[in-house]
Structures are given as structure tokens and as C-alpha cells.
Amino acid sequence: MMHGGDSMDSIIKIKNMSFSYKNKKIFENFDLDIEKGKFIHIVGANGSGKSTLVKILLGLLKAEGYINVYRMNMCEENLMDIRRNIGVVFENPSNTFVAETVADDIAFALENLQYTPNTISEKITKISEYLKIEHLLEKNPHYLSGGEKQLVALASALVTDPKILILDESLSMLNGVEKNNILKLLKKLVKDKKMTIINVTHDMEETVYGDKIVVLDFGKILFNDNKEVIYKEEKKLKSVGLELPFMVDLSNKLRYYGLVDEDILSMSEMVNHLWK
């Protein structure tokens, strides 16, 4: 059981949280500290409690214990303010589309925050260029491919400049290349905007981008540490249904033959290293 040091600069703090669903305990005396301005992956197999945790952080489910998000205690009167600071993208974005065109859908969140029409169109232009979805703006979001829908949902979440971005299995419909591009962009957002990103996923491949990994197993934290530390725990990860990312696994095998001496997480770096 490992816990990161208790840092003063946590953007989300959970202490002694308990939550049951239909008499089944999902969390009991659960503690978690998420540091501001980091890219965190929360991973676990299905049924580990990941999606429940997301709903609790958004105030969609009510848990017992101390939950503090962006220096506000989770309670009825703070809920609107807490949600205003969080952008969220769910696994199936179709349920969240409200408008006839992608542009109007992205505008919806900004209209709620009462931005002027000029600012709204500027922000839409900027985010669509950033995510390379300019060609989708006039289309009906319901007729897009799964991956395109997830990009549009991501645009809607990012356009309000949230302090915290939560992704709930929301890269699952993107192909490998699209997924890597988006993960690189997210990494850049953390660096440039000091945004805190929490990516909730069952796919360990995604964790190569990011700082820390929290491994959940049936509502308990198995690991909470830097990714390099967690990648050394292959047996334990396997025991909870998680595979090492391909590049980490490859690094391990090549290390055995003395061809590399550390994890190389990027394919192009690996190729350059082996060709030296």
C-alpha cells in the first residue's frame, strides 16, 4: 500500500469516504489526494469503483466522509461552483449532445456562463483548431463516428477552461493514432495551463502519458504513485486484471537482453535507441 506524500497543494482531497450502493459497500474509509496541475490516471478493471468515484466527485452520488474539490467542501450549496470548475467527458457522449450542430453544442456551455457572442465564437474557433475538428463544426453531432463524438465532447469540456478535467473512459472509441494525439494534447494542457487532468480508464496503454497512476481494486487503492514505480509491479497489476503498456513490456524484455537500461515509452525513441 503506497500513498504519495501529503502535499499542501491538493486540488481534490478525500478522507474517510464511504459509499454503498444497494447494501453493497463500494468504498469504505477511502482516502485520496490529487495534486494540482498533474496528469493522473485512475485505472482498474471493471467493477473496481472508478466510475462511481467520478460520479461522487461531480456530486451525482452522495457519499459519506470528507470530500473537498478545488478548496470547496462537497455539499449542496457548493455544488454549482464545484461543477463550474470541472470539465467532464463521459464514455458515451451522445447522451450529452443538446444542439443540432457541433458548433452550437460547444457554444452551449459558454452561453450558460453568459459569455458574449463574440467571445463564444472566438473560443469555439480556438478549441476546434486545437483539437483539429474545424471540419465538424457545422455537422450534426449525432451523425458523427464514435471517435469524432468523443472529440466534440472533449471540446465542449475544454472550451470553458476548467481547472479540472475528468475523462471517464472517454478515449475508448478513438483509434490508436487519434488516442495518442489526444493524450499528447492533454499532456500539453497540463504543462501550459496548469490544468489538473484525471483520466479514468481500464486501459494501461493510456498511462504512458501522464505523471501518476492510482490503481483501484474493489474500492481500495492498491497503488498511488509515479508511473515508473507502478510499472515495476507487473505481477500485482496482472493479479487485478491490468497489463503493462506495450512499450514498458517491450523495455522489460529488451532490458533482459541488455539492449536497454530503462523504460523507453515512445516508439520513435525506442527505434532511435536500438539503431544507435
Side-chain angles (χ1 to χ4, degrees):
M1 188 79 172
M2 287 185 275
H3 286 282
D6 201 42
S7 71
M8 283 319 289
D9 216 13
S10 40
I11 196 161
I12 292 176
K13 208 174 179 57
I14 298 175
K15 270 186 129 83
N16 294 330
M17 179 181 84
S18 296
F19 178 79
S20 298
Y21 180 70
K22 291 183 177 165
N23 297 327
K24 186 172 169 262
K25 276 208 167 81
I26 299 192
F27 292 107
E28 197 176 3
N29 301 330
F30 181 85
D31 294 348
L32 178 63
D33 225 350
I34 288 179
E35 214 177 318
K36 187 171 181 278
K38 295 272 184 217
F39 192 171
I40 315 280
H41 296 275
I42 297 183
V43 293
N46 287 341
S48 57
K50 307 185 303 289
S51 282
T52 306
L53 182 59
V54 171
K55 291 185 179 122
I56 290 170
L57 288 175
L58 294 169
L60 298 171
L61 293 174
K62 208 167 155 49
E64 288 162 31
Y66 174 81
I67 302 167
N68 189 290
V69 179
Y70 199 59
R71 300 196 177 88
M72 288 176 277
N73 284 344
M74 179 66 74
C75 60
E76 209 53 57
E77 51 269 31
N78 287 343
L79 205 49
M80 285 304 290
D81 286 329
I82 286 175
R83 284 185 189 159
R84 195 165 284 147
N85 288 296
I86 299 178
V88 63
V89 188
F90 292 108
E91 181 171 14
N92 186 356
S94 294
N95 310 336
T96 54
F97 293 142
V98 291
E100 295 295 302
T101 68
V102 167
D104 287 347
D105 211 276
I106 300 172
F108 182 71
L110 296 168
E111 284 161 2
N112 279 344
L113 296 172
Q114 285 153 358
Y115 280 100
T116 63
N118 273 354
T119 310
I120 290 178
S121 61
E122 275 167 30
K123 280 181 172 289
I124 292 174
T125 303
K126 214 166 143 187
I127 195 69
S128 56
E129 283 171 1
Y130 195 74
L131 294 175
K132 299 189 172 52
I133 55 167
E134 304 100 293
H135 60 294
L136 301 178
L137 289 175
E138 293 315 310
K139 295 191 172 166
N140 184 321
H142 290 283
Y143 299 126
L144 302 176
S145 73
E148 288 171 337
K149 285 178 179 172
Q150 288 187 323
L151 287 176
V152 171
L154 182 59
S156 297
L158 286 175
V159 76
T160 59
D161 290 320
K163 303 284 182 285
I164 303 167
L165 176 68
I166 299 179
L167 305 169
D168 187 8
E169 295 284 3
S170 51
L171 305 175
S172 57
M173 296 183 205
L174 298 168
N175 67 38
V177 176
E178 292 172 324
K179 193 185 272 199
N180 281 341
N181 287 340
I182 291 301
L183 285 161
K184 277 180 197 150
L185 277 182
L186 294 174
K187 198 174 162 180
K188 197 167 162 334
L189 279 174
V190 171
K191 202 167 138 255
D192 298 347
K193 295 203 174 214
K194 301 286 171 272
M195 196 181 279
T196 305
I197 298 183
I198 301 167
N199 180 36
V200 177
T201 179
H202 65 280
D203 182 4
M204 284 289 286
E205 284 302 329
E206 296 173 18
T207 63
V208 170
Y209 299 88
D211 306 302
K212 287 191 140 176
I213 304 175
V214 176
V215 179
L216 277 188
D217 183 39
F218 292 109
K220 300 223 178 333
I221 291 182
L222 185 64
F223 296 112
N224 175 5
D225 218 318
N226 294 334
K227 60 185 180 194
E228 295 77 13
V229 175
I230 288 169
Y231 292 157
K232 293 190 169 63
E233 301 285 351
E234 186 176 7
K235 278 201 178 78
K236 275 200 177 138
L237 291 171
K238 277 220 165 97
S239 75
V240 295
L242 296 171
E243 296 286 331
L244 283 181
F246 173 76
M247 291 305 295
V248 178
D249 190 42
L250 182 63
S251 295
N252 286 346
K253 292 189 167 91
L254 293 173
R255 192 185 285 119
Y256 178 77
Y257 292 107
L259 293 169
V260 302
D261 43 20
E262 58 179 354
D263 285 351
I264 297 177
L265 301 181
S266 127
M267 183 64 85
S268 51
E269 277 175 42
M270 178 67 87
V271 171
N272 288 340
H273 178 86
L274 295 176
W275 276 100
K276 261 184 201 155

